[in-house]
Amino acid sequence: MPIYQTSTFAQDGVGGLREGYEYSRTANPTRTVMEEALAALEGGRHCLAFASGMAATDVALRTLCRPGDHVILGNDAYGGTFRLLDKVLAHWGVEHTAVDLSDPVATRAAVRPTTKVIWSETPSNPLLGIVDITALAAVAAEAGARLVIDNTFATPYLQTPLALGADVVLHSTTKYLGGHSDVVGGALITDDTELNEGFAFLRNSAGAVPGPFDSWLVLRGAKTLAVRMERHCDNAERIVAALAGHPKVTKVYYPGLETHPGHDIAAKQMRRPGGMVSFQVAGGEQAALDVAARTRLFTLGESLGGIESLIEHPGRMTHASTAGSLLEVPSDLLRLSVGIESAADLVADLLAALG
Ligand SMILES: *Cc1c(COP(=O)(O)O)cnc(C)c1O
């Protein structure tokens, strides 16, 4: 697919659009092909791409909610999603409650007459919590709310939430779909044509669209998604085996572990457990920071889902904005985005850093 690096399109007379394109905020051929690819991967009818995952989140929430409406989100939601609700949308009268979405009783108890959205990540960031999408879809339907699944961690290769009853799938295409840490983007996928029209109207009105080159990068990344995900999973499983039982590791979070509370649900709704691993280090926050400072193959950095392995300290980095809230993460927690390098090298790097 060529990169249509253009803002505007020649028209055949007033109102005579050539191939339907007029202006690249509204639509661009490279972006359209990328959107069609992501819709196909998720098994959905419609996809709209955005300038970032947060831009997609913003458009989804502002389309689904009006002042006075209420959102239920997971108590281990992505820090940026929580910040948008807590620090921005709250001022515009959109209310939220953070709950443990793996607990249907707690989730039902949080439902209000004004609840319009249940927003869930599974696996979640950074604690790899698992939510039963089919069960949550039933709760949302009972509540008359829409279920949005942030499928960034799983990717459509490992899990397709629309088939399990979700109304909308959100992606930060910055992560696995782009796959090479060289683009920031987002996407919303849905089968609901009316909802998609609402998203498209707000996207065109507010304008947070991806450029043609960024669209092309996501399209190119998606071509190798299946191969990369298999390798991310293979490597993550090797690393989990090395960390579990290590004397300096107090807890490993990975849905592939039989001891993980969401193991059976993950096995049911995911093809494999994914490439993200979190763990707690003996000795508290400083010990965790020291490990993150000592790895050589795992680059210290935010983001995830690229071919290169990354390590980060959620409490001080990606999830700093959750400090003091219900969503606060343990201070001795480290998160790995396991890349596609040699598994033996990655394991050796972590073992050396743990000392
Ligand atoms: C990164 C991320 C987002 C936000 O996406 P951006 O592209 O950074 O705006 C949302 N959800 C999850 C799970 C993420 O990891």
Side-chain angles (χ1 to χ4, degrees):
M1 182 63 192
I3 303 166
Y4 281 77
Q5 193 68 44
T6 184
S7 59
T8 190
F9 300 82
Q11 302 189 13
D12 294 327
V14 174
L17 298 190
R18 237 181 256 170
E19 316 200 348
Y21 292 95
E22 55 185 337
Y23 185 60
S24 284
R25 170 155 41 74
T26 313
N28 173 284
T30 313
R31 194 175 88 200
T32 302
V33 168
M34 182 262 274
E35 291 170 336
E36 286 168 358
L38 300 193
L41 286 173
E42 285 289 357
R45 221 169 269 144
H46 310 287
C47 170
L48 293 166
F50 293 83
S52 69
M54 289 320 303
T57 303
D58 179 45
V59 162
L61 287 171
R62 286 195 293 137
T63 302
L64 291 166
C65 298
R66 292 289 170 271
D69 287 343
H70 175 244
V71 176
I72 298 175
L73 79 161
N75 59 4
D76 55 354
Y78 177 67
T81 307
F82 178 69
R83 180 175 57 197
L84 181 67
L85 279 163
D86 194 50
K87 298 283 194 292
V88 182
L89 295 176
H91 298 304
W92 299 92
V94 175
E95 299 175 337
H96 63 275
T97 308
V99 296
D100 176 0
L101 293 172
S102 67
D103 177 351
V105 177
T107 307
R108 274 198 189 88
V111 170
R112 302 178 190 173
T114 54
T115 303
K116 291 287 159 57
V117 177
I118 299 183
W119 190 284
S120 173
E121 293 167 45
T122 179
S124 68
N125 180 11
L127 295 175
L128 286 313
I130 298 290
V131 168
D132 185 332
I133 297 173
T134 309
L136 198 58
V139 176
E142 261 169 51
R146 301 300 192 117
L147 176 62
V148 182
I149 297 289
D150 181 337
N151 206 29
T152 299
F153 269 38
T155 82
Y157 182 70
L158 299 179
Q159 171 176 284
T160 45
L162 295 179
L164 300 170
D167 296 293
V168 180
V169 168
L170 175 129
H171 278 286
S172 168
T173 55
T174 313
K175 315 295 168 51
Y176 288 105
L177 283 164
H180 298 74
S181 309
D182 52 11
V183 62
V184 171
L188 294 175
I189 298 110
T190 183
D191 276 336
D192 185 324
T193 301
E194 205 178 313
L195 197 52
N196 185 65
E197 279 166 11
F199 293 156
F201 182 79
L202 183 51
R203 181 182 68 168
N204 192 46
S205 304
V209 293
F213 185 58
D214 285 358
S215 299
W216 183 83
L217 282 171
V218 172
L219 188 59
R220 198 173 77 158
K223 290 178 188 181
T224 54
L225 181 69
V227 186
R228 286 186 284 108
M229 290 316 293
E230 291 289 351
R231 178 68 173 232
H232 285 299
C233 293
D234 289 345
N235 283 359
E237 283 168 1
R238 290 274 298 276
I239 284 165
V240 166
L243 291 179
H246 189 285
K248 298 216 171 127
V249 174
T250 53
K251 186 164 180 185
V252 180
Y253 298 81
Y254 188 65
L257 281 171
E258 269 173 35
T259 51
H260 187 290
H263 174 268
D264 292 350
I265 295 161
K268 190 181 69 174
Q269 70 190 16
M270 296 178 76
R271 186 196 293 258
R272 292 187 70 183
M276 298 300 296
V277 178
S278 292
F279 63 102
Q280 283 174 269
V281 178
E285 180 173 58
Q286 192 55 50
L289 293 170
D290 289 346
V291 171
R294 278 199 295 260
T295 55
R296 292 175 58 219
L297 283 183
F298 282 87
T299 301
L300 180 65
E302 302 200 352
S303 198
L304 60 107
I307 55 172
E308 323 77 358
S309 291
L310 295 173
I311 188 166
E312 68 117 358
H313 184 269
R316 291 277 196 98
M317 295 169 65
T318 50
H319 289 64
S321 65
T322 63
S325 79
L326 263 176
L327 286 80
E328 188 169 326
V329 293
S331 64
D332 55 4
L333 186 79
L334 291 172
R335 188 190 77 181
L336 305 175
S337 173
V338 178
I340 65 167
E341 304 93 333
S342 145
D345 289 351
L346 293 176
V347 167
D349 188 39
L350 280 176
L351 295 182
L354 283 164

